[in-house]
Amino acid sequence: MPVPVPQQRSVPAAETSHGDLTLLVIEDDPAGTTITVPELSAAAGTRVRIRTARNLTEAARLLTDDVDCILLDLALPLTGGGAGPGTPTVDAGTSGASTGTGTADSGSLPEPVSERAGELAALTHVLGIAPQHAVLALTAQDDTELAAEAVRVGAQDYLFRGELDARVLSRAIRYAVERKRADTAQHQLTESRLRAQENARLERGLLPTPLLDGSGLSFAARYRPGRSRALLGGDFYDVVRTPDGTVHAMIGDVCGHGPDEAALGVELRIAWRALTLAGLCGDELLSTLQQVLEHERQSEEIFATLCTVDIAPDGRRAGLCLAGHPAPLLARHGLPARLLPYQDGGPALGLLPRARWPRRQVELGGAWSLMMYTDGLIEGRVGTGGSERLGQDGMVAMVNSRLEQGLAGEELLEAAVAEVRELNGGELTDDVAVLLLGRDPERIRRWGGSAPRSHPASSVAGRPLGVQRPPL
């Protein structure tokens, strides 16, 4: 029996045993290739299924995910003969394709790649409708230039009709399939590297180097992206010291996930730093940030939560503003940690056009640690079956237990994030950003009134980021 087997039932991919191959032959002459299925299976060392199509329209119907390789006759006519309704017609002297009585599944053909583009129109069309499949070009033996051009256009290999036998064809199929897999893997690797570079640029915008020189305060931070993204999310933070000695800290979270939300987080973080260095604070600053958000967001449904703290130059008191964000955690020397007041907070940025964000004065004391975080830290699951969330009360109890163990600074943050993941039973679904500011009078005296210079964060996708060297 020749290669064309129109009566053969197509076996779904689920029924295909490991190593089986499915070949789609596209040529208008069913008797043009006379290799039998048993011959091909014997040469390949595995079962081979063959489907045949007389034109591109028929090929599109037979092209399914379980097809491993396509054997295309480059001499396949695109007009007349076996072409059915809907087969694209191509003028060899033009750069594109026009449809006859119907439209092919792949749409119009791309621009020609050479003077022989008309002879490669069928191949170009097949590559368009089957970008994930391996393709073998079949041509006459005396047309080596066309065969080489077919490979340059995108075919994995070419075969000469006069040399075609079961052994050659089976070897070519295997080679084409493996080469296509390698090409696809290389393409995915390149895309992954580009995404990593883009994430590195976003990371520099979302997680900047703190400007704390001369403040006497210590700083530590941790960032862990959620399981669904594995690189970088939309949480952001910043810490700067203004010329009057005030230390301003901020942490925020743009709703949603994706590059647009992450880019918006970068814009808000940069705008916050610029407005803070320009002297804005409290409600005036947040009102301006809301204007930035409203102008830059992709949809009116996008909003952002924010927590800002401005610490007085003496380090003993601070102003707190909350925009739909969880309140920070304050731990004083020798006392258990507690949440700062949150009753006077305002709505998230972007929800109400003329909202207000009251600034509340809080006492910090002489020696303290202030932890600011995004909601990813408190929304992890706990308990049997993961039916409950950790919540702020659970977080306070967890931090207090770690403080009793004598942990501080980076060790405290690392232990807290690790315990939240453990309670959740694995990676958290939402991003987690946590920063810790601290004041230790003894430490300040040791450093002569100022803390050592802060160092930039080192970035590794999917791992926590450390920013601070000296502990609290």
Side-chain angles (χ1 to χ4, degrees):
M1 189 170 89
V3 165
V5 191
Q7 297 82 9
Q8 183 172 335
R9 183 178 69 92
S10 298
V11 181
E15 301 179 24
T16 304
S17 61
H18 180 71
D20 290 357
L21 293 173
T22 300
L23 176 68
L24 175 60
V25 180
I26 309 175
E27 63 172 344
D28 65 334
D29 182 9
T33 306
T34 58
I35 300 172
T36 65
V37 172
E39 289 175 344
L40 188 56
S41 297
T46 187
R47 184 170 57 166
V48 179
R49 299 178 181 86
I50 298 178
R51 302 175 187 173
T52 60
R54 296 170 181 264
N55 53 63
L56 297 179
T57 301
E58 190 175 333
R61 290 197 300 267
L62 298 176
L63 184 62
T64 55
D65 291 339
D66 61 325
V67 171
D68 297 287
C69 186
I70 299 171
L71 178 62
L72 172 66
D73 184 3
L74 294 184
L76 180 73
L78 297 182
T79 57
T87 303
T89 59
V90 177
D91 181 355
T94 63
S95 61
S98 60
T99 58
T101 58
T103 303
D105 293 345
S106 65
S108 59
L109 300 178
E111 294 295 323
V113 295
S114 71
E115 296 179 356
R116 309 191 68 169
E119 298 176 82
L120 295 173
L123 174 62
T124 305
H125 183 87
V126 169
L127 294 173
I129 65 174
Q132 304 301 323
H133 292 76
V135 178
L136 289 169
L138 183 63
T139 185
Q141 189 166 357
D142 59 351
D143 204 343
T144 56
E145 292 184 4
L146 182 62
E149 186 69 11
V151 173
R152 194 186 76 81
V153 168
Q156 273 60 59
D157 202 353
Y158 62 85
L159 296 170
F160 294 132
R161 183 177 294 276
E163 299 177 352
L164 193 61
D165 58 27
R167 182 183 59 83
V168 171
L169 180 56
S170 64
R171 185 177 59 188
I173 293 172
R174 290 291 189 187
Y175 172 78
V177 170
E178 293 304 321
R179 180 176 177 182
K180 183 62 178 181
R181 289 174 181 170
D183 291 344
T184 301
Q186 181 62 42
H187 180 71
Q188 292 173 345
L189 178 61
T190 301
E191 286 188 341
S192 177
R193 288 172 176 170
L194 292 175
R195 283 195 300 269
Q197 293 172 3
E198 184 63 25
N199 273 278
R201 286 191 289 270
L202 283 173
E203 180 185 287
R204 287 193 293 271
L206 291 170
L207 315 178
T209 301
L211 302 180
L212 282 174
D213 293 342
S215 69
L217 302 182
S218 60
F219 174 86
R222 280 293 181 272
Y223 171 82
R224 185 180 293 275
R227 177 174 54 200
S228 60
R229 284 160 308 283
L231 284 175
L232 199 69
D235 293 1
F236 56 97
Y237 61 77
D238 202 354
V239 182
V240 298
R241 179 175 183 263
T242 48
D244 64 355
T246 302
V247 172
H248 303 262
M250 171 271 290
I251 193 166
D253 183 7
V254 176
C255 74
H257 304 293
D260 291 337
E261 287 75 12
L264 181 57
V266 173
E267 293 181 64
L268 292 175
R269 203 277 309 165
I270 294 175
W272 178 87
R273 175 175 283 201
L275 293 171
T276 299
L277 294 176
L280 274 66
C281 186
D283 181 78
E284 185 181 11
L285 186 150
L286 291 176
S287 297
T288 308
L289 278 182
Q290 174 156 279
Q291 295 180 38
V292 174
L293 172 66
E294 291 172 345
H295 284 89
E296 298 297 330
R297 62 186 176 183
Q298 298 291 323
S299 167
E300 292 186 357
E301 298 178 353
I302 299 296
F303 63 89
T305 65
L306 206 68
C307 171
T308 67
V309 174
D310 55 278
I311 303 170
D314 63 5
R316 303 185 64 87
R317 62 190 184 280
L320 170 66
C321 285
L322 296 175
H325 201 89
L329 187 69
L330 176 65
R332 293 174 176 171
H333 182 68
L335 297 175
R338 63 177 178 85
L339 294 172
L340 291 180
Y342 53 85
Q343 291 81 2
D344 297 334
L349 302 181
L351 293 183
L352 301 177
R354 289 178 292 276
R356 304 255 64 93
W357 295 273
R359 177 179 176 273
R360 186 183 186 114
Q361 189 79 9
V362 294
E363 294 296 325
L364 300 177
W368 48 265
S369 297
L370 184 68
M371 189 175 83
M372 304 170 68
Y373 52 93
T374 56
D375 57 8
L377 186 68
I378 59 177
E379 291 187 348
R381 300 288 181 176
V382 296
T384 305
S387 58
E388 301 178 4
R389 295 189 183 274
L390 177 64
Q392 288 180 292
D393 292 340
M395 179 196 66
V396 172
M398 177 188 66
V399 171
N400 278 324
S401 67
R402 297 297 181 177
L403 290 173
E404 291 174 357
Q405 298 172 7
L407 299 184
E410 290 210 14
E411 290 183 350
L412 175 62
L413 293 189
E414 184 68 29
V417 174
E419 184 172 349
V420 169
R421 290 180 59 244
E422 182 179 351
L423 292 172
N424 189 63
E427 288 293 344
L428 301 165
T429 56
D430 199 6
D431 312 311
V432 174
V434 192
L435 64 87
L436 190 66
L437 289 168
R439 183 176 188 271
D440 184 351
E442 290 297 326
R443 176 175 174 273
I444 294 174
R445 280 193 290 272
R446 288 198 305 269
W447 288 99
S450 63
R453 183 177 298 273
S454 299
H455 298 275
S458 60
S459 166
V460 180
R463 300 218 305 261
L465 300 174
V467 185
Q468 173 69 8
R469 298 301 180 265
L472 289 177

